[in-house]
Amino acid sequence: MSVSRSDCFSDLLCGEDSSIIFSSGGEDLMECSPEQDFLMPEVQESIAGLIENERDFMVPCSDYIEKLQSTQAIDASTRADSVAWILKVQRFYGFQPLTAFLSVNYFDRFLYSRQLPKMNGWPAQLLSVACLSLAAKVEEPLVPSLLDLQVEGAKFIFEPRNILRMELVVLRVLDWRLQSISPFSFLSFFAHKIDPTGTNTGFLTSRATEIILSNIQETSFLEYRPSCIAAATILCAANDLPHFSLVTAQHAESWCDGLHKDQINSCHQLMQQTASANRPRKQPKVLPQLRVTTRASITWSDSSSTSFSSSSPYKRRKLNNSLWVDNDK
């Protein structure tokens, strides 16, 4: 006897009237536009609550950097390499930006509480894989296997059982608190504050997300709250649009209680400095050298012709190694 799909899941359905759920014009349903949604008191209170509790998921910047420098178990460059690898895997699998942020958040919170043994760098790589795996399990609908997760130039390949053991260690150190308040929690709200019409909010949030990920390797940004980082990145994104170029940190301070213009301005300036330092410089254009020969110089004796033909391959190899193009071709 065959059982239909609807019969299999009938016990999981609630007793509500489906007409209430799927009705499009019921009088009891309040229709709200995106602009009205952000003006509702519940949204304002939610954002205020996030700002109030965001410090609980932050790593004390000064203490953390001092600890890293004193223990010498991991330095800023090793952390930057670990974060860079996490971002590569995030792009490789198309993970959400929040997955990468949570991975780095777990990484920093763990190192703030525990010290890794310095053994040729493999403990930092194992911690990176474990943090990325945990974050992917929290945020991603589909998670690659632990072996497939170790891609994009992973320096060491670990067995799945060792990664699972490291995940358990991370969970215990973090007290099983995997949810975190991130800058992404504020982007849509702040973008709406700049553009209430919603015309450019998509661009503002997308550009701000790129800026956050591009600065996640810098330990200097650990000093700022997620809400401050979100406000500063929205300002950077707004500066790319001519009609929003006059929005300043003083305007951002009025978006919500708990924001401070001095902190936002300082974070904004740091982002601009980092972007300027990381901007690739244009390499000078090298023009190929042209060989000019006269008709008389083309006449060689048999010996000279033999010597030229024997040395010609070496000259071509040397030019190819120097990234020059054969002019004859």
Side-chain angles (χ1 to χ4, degrees):
M1 178 179 178
S2 61
V3 180
S4 64
R5 182 182 297 269
S6 59
D7 294 335
C8 294
F9 296 97
S10 60
D11 294 338
L12 302 179
L13 299 177
C14 299
E16 290 88 348
D17 186 1
S18 60
S19 62
I20 298 178
I21 300 176
F22 298 103
S23 62
S24 59
E27 295 179 357
D28 295 335
L29 299 179
M30 180 178 63
E31 296 183 0
C32 296
S33 64
E35 292 78 12
Q36 291 174 331
D37 290 343
F38 285 106
L39 296 178
M40 295 175 64
E42 294 82 358
V43 177
Q44 299 280 352
E45 294 178 1
S46 177
I47 295 296
L50 292 176
I51 294 179
E52 183 179 356
N53 299 322
E54 61 185 349
R55 280 198 178 275
D56 297 338
F57 301 93
M58 292 179 57
V59 177
C61 179
S62 57
D63 297 343
Y64 179 46
I65 296 178
E66 182 180 356
K67 186 174 183 179
L68 293 182
Q69 294 175 347
S70 60
T71 59
Q72 296 182 351
I74 182 174
D75 53 15
S77 61
T78 304
R79 177 191 178 275
D81 293 340
S82 299
V83 176
W85 178 81
I86 290 174
L87 292 175
K88 289 180 181 179
V89 179
Q90 180 258 336
R91 290 190 295 266
F92 181 84
Y93 283 110
F95 290 160
Q96 302 178 58
L98 181 57
T99 301
F101 182 89
L102 288 179
S103 304
V104 179
N105 181 266
Y106 301 161
F107 187 91
D108 290 327
R109 286 165 58 191
F110 181 92
L111 289 181
Y112 179 73
S113 302
R114 291 290 180 88
Q115 178 179 348
L116 285 177
K118 190 173 184 180
M119 299 178 181
N120 298 326
W122 68 261
Q125 178 69 41
L126 179 58
L127 177 61
S128 303
V129 177
C131 291
L132 179 58
S133 175
L134 289 173
K137 292 175 182 177
V138 171
E139 293 297 330
E140 300 299 329
L142 296 175
V143 181
S145 67
L146 292 177
L147 286 177
D148 292 336
L149 198 63
Q150 303 177 74
V151 294
E152 290 297 298
K155 297 180 181 179
F156 304 92
I157 303 298
F158 304 98
E159 296 181 0
R161 58 188 180 93
N162 292 330
I163 300 176
L164 291 175
R165 290 173 58 187
M166 189 63 191
E167 287 183 16
L168 187 59
V169 174
V170 174
L171 288 171
R172 290 172 178 170
V173 171
L174 300 184
D175 198 21
W176 296 78
R177 301 172 65 210
L178 298 184
Q179 293 294 341
S180 180
I181 299 176
S182 72
F184 305 112
S185 306
F186 305 92
L187 291 184
S188 297
F189 180 78
F190 291 164
H192 173 79
K193 288 293 184 179
I194 289 182
D195 183 20
T197 63
T199 305
N200 299 283
T201 52
F203 169 81
L204 292 173
T205 54
S206 177
R207 178 66 182 130
T209 298
E210 295 177 0
I211 297 174
I212 292 173
L213 292 181
S214 65
N215 290 301
I216 200 173
Q217 293 179 245
E218 302 293 333
T219 55
S220 302
F221 288 97
L222 295 174
E223 176 184 351
Y224 302 98
R225 294 187 179 191
S227 58
C228 178
I229 295 176
T233 52
I234 287 293
L235 288 182
C236 289
N239 293 149
D240 294 339
L241 299 176
H243 45 294
F244 293 134
S245 59
L246 298 180
V247 180
T248 63
Q250 186 173 0
H251 297 97
E253 188 179 32
S254 63
W255 293 346
C256 187
D257 294 337
L259 297 177
H260 303 282
K261 63 178 181 180
D262 293 338
Q263 288 290 315
I264 297 174
N265 189 49
S266 175
C267 185
H268 183 233
Q269 291 179 355
L270 181 59
M271 288 179 180
Q272 291 178 325
Q273 294 173 2
T274 304
S276 177
N278 296 334
R279 185 178 296 113
R281 297 181 178 179
K282 292 184 179 180
Q283 297 294 333
K285 184 180 294 185
V286 180
L287 298 177
Q289 294 180 350
L290 300 178
R291 293 181 301 213
V292 180
T293 58
T294 61
R295 185 177 183 86
S297 62
I298 301 179
T299 305
W300 290 292
S301 62
D302 294 339
S303 59
S304 62
S305 176
T306 304
S307 62
F308 175 79
S309 60
S310 61
S311 61
S312 179
Y314 167 76
K315 290 185 177 180
R316 284 200 177 93
R317 285 196 299 269
K318 184 176 181 181
L319 292 175
N320 289 336
N321 292 337
S322 302
L323 298 180
W324 290 92
V325 180
D326 192 353
N327 292 326
D328 294 335
K329 297 181 181 180

Coordinates of all heavy atoms in Angstrom, one line a residue, residues 111 157 188 240 262 281:
L111 N 41.4 32.2 21.1 CA 42.8 32.5 21.4 C 42.9 33.5 22.6 O 43.9 33.5 23.3 CB 43.5 33.2 20.2 CG 43.8 32.2 19.1 CD1 44.5 33.0 17.9 CD2 44.7 31.1 19.5
I157 N 46.5 18.9 6.2 CA 45.2 18.2 6.1 C 45.0 17.3 7.3 O 45.9 16.4 7.6 CB 45.2 17.3 4.8 CG1 45.5 18.2 3.6 CG2 43.9 16.6 4.6 CD1 44.5 19.3 3.4
S188 N 21.2 46.7 7.1 CA 19.9 47.1 6.5 C 19.3 48.3 7.2 O 18.7 49.2 6.6 CB 19.0 45.9 6.5 OG 19.5 44.8 5.7
D240 N 30.4 56.5 -2.0 CA 30.5 56.1 -3.4 C 29.4 56.6 -4.3 O 29.4 56.5 -5.5 CB 30.6 54.5 -3.5 CG 31.9 54.0 -2.9 OD1 32.9 54.7 -2.8 OD2 31.9 52.8 -2.6
D262 N 32.5 60.1 17.5 CA 33.9 60.0 17.5 C 34.4 58.6 17.1 O 35.4 58.4 16.4 CB 34.4 60.4 18.9 CG 34.2 61.9 19.2 OD1 34.0 62.6 18.2 OD2 34.1 62.2 20.4
R281 N 49.1 49.3 -6.7 CA 49.7 50.3 -7.5 C 49.9 49.9 -8.9 O 50.2 48.7 -9.2 CB 51.1 50.7 -6.9 CG 51.0 51.3 -5.4 CD 52.4 51.7 -4.9 NE 52.3 52.2 -3.6 CZ 53.4 52.6 -2.9 NH1 54.6 52.5 -3.5 NH2 53.2 53.1 -1.7

